[in-house]
Amino acid sequence: MKKAILATKVGMTQIFDEDGVLTPVTVLQAGPCAVTQVKTVENDGYSAVQVGFCDKKERLVNKPMKGHFDKASVGTKRYVREFRLENAEEYELGQEIKADIFEAGDKVDATATSKGHGYAGAIKRHGFSRGPVTHGSKHHRHTGSSGCATDPGKVFKGKKMAGHYGCKRTTIQNLEVVRIDADNNIILVKGSVPGPKKSLVMLKETVKAGK
């Protein structure tokens, strides 16, 4: 992986290509991101690039983080994330990373926190089939049998049941970059990206190219 950027999800729309084919796309406000730290094998034991994204009021940042941003000569940032890039040594402290780091046709992996659905039943959460809807069945949207008899006398770990649905770190791989608007730092990605609108998205060069 040699390219990565932080973005916020704007929403979804659709575009038409020159042949009139409609493509659903997710609009991402990607960058500009600032390099806040370059980690090396000698100093940190591994190679990585730390970037900051989205400006934040200085009074809302504690003193250690304020000093960290000042050392890189960048403004205070709301989000700070780290990418283990193969070419981390090529980046410089304070360097700006913009949407044009990617090109149309590139394959990327999008990582974000999926939408939360609260406490959901087994039908909505796991796609279970419902029971008979006839009068008197008393089993319409219930989970159904969840345990065993006396032996082993317990519910096995991992059993699909009702519970908290969504709000998990999710990655969708091999998404295609359809269009880049370098002037406005906009990236259009084919298909859907995890998370609600305005959520943080980590866009990275795919690790499964060609598969």
Side-chain angles (χ1 to χ4, degrees), residues 94-157:
Q95 179 180 338
E96 207 170 46
I97 303 175
K98 296 185 177 181
D100 56 9
I101 192 174
F102 291 104
E103 298 177 355
D106 285 350
K107 296 287 187 176
V108 295
D109 295 342
T111 302
T113 302
S114 62
K115 290 182 179 180
H117 297 267
Y119 190 93
I123 292 178
K124 181 175 180 178
R125 189 183 186 203
H126 300 293
F128 282 14
S129 297
R130 68 179 183 181
V133 296
T134 51
H135 177 69
S137 75
K138 298 183 180 179
H139 176 66
H140 304 307
R141 296 181 63 88
H142 293 186
T143 306
S145 177
S146 59
C148 306
T150 305
D151 183 21
K154 65 177 182 179
V155 178
F156 286 108
K157 189 175 183 180

Side-chain angles (χ1 to χ4, degrees), residues 48-69:
V49 175
Q50 186 190 90
V51 299
F53 174 57
C54 191
D55 292 335
K56 186 178 183 179
K57 292 180 180 179
E58 186 176 319
R59 63 182 177 82
L60 299 177
V61 178
N62 59 29
K63 288 183 178 180
M65 287 304 297
K66 175 65 168 56
H68 185 67
F69 292 130

Side-chain angles (χ1 to χ4, degrees), residues 121-210:
I123 292 178
K124 181 175 180 178
R125 189 183 186 203
H126 300 293
F128 282 14
S129 297
R130 68 179 183 181
V133 296
T134 51
H135 177 69
S137 75
K138 298 183 180 179
H139 176 66
H140 304 307
R141 296 181 63 88
H142 293 186
T143 306
S145 177
S146 59
C148 306
T150 305
D151 183 21
K154 65 177 182 179
V155 178
F156 286 108
K157 189 175 183 180
K159 173 68 178 176
K160 293 180 178 179
M161 301 177 73
H164 190 190
Y165 176 37
C167 202
K168 292 184 178 180
R169 181 185 172 99
T170 309
T171 299
I172 296 183
Q173 297 179 317
N174 253 342
L175 296 173
E176 181 183 351
V177 176
V178 178
R179 190 177 298 171
I180 300 290
D181 184 354
D183 296 332
N184 297 309
N185 283 307
I186 296 292
I187 296 180
L188 301 185
V189 177
K190 183 178 180 180
S192 60
V193 169
K197 294 177 182 178
K198 299 182 181 180
S199 61
L200 179 69
V201 179
M202 290 188 286
L203 212 60
K204 300 173 284 189
E205 186 180 24
T206 187
V207 295
K208 291 185 177 179

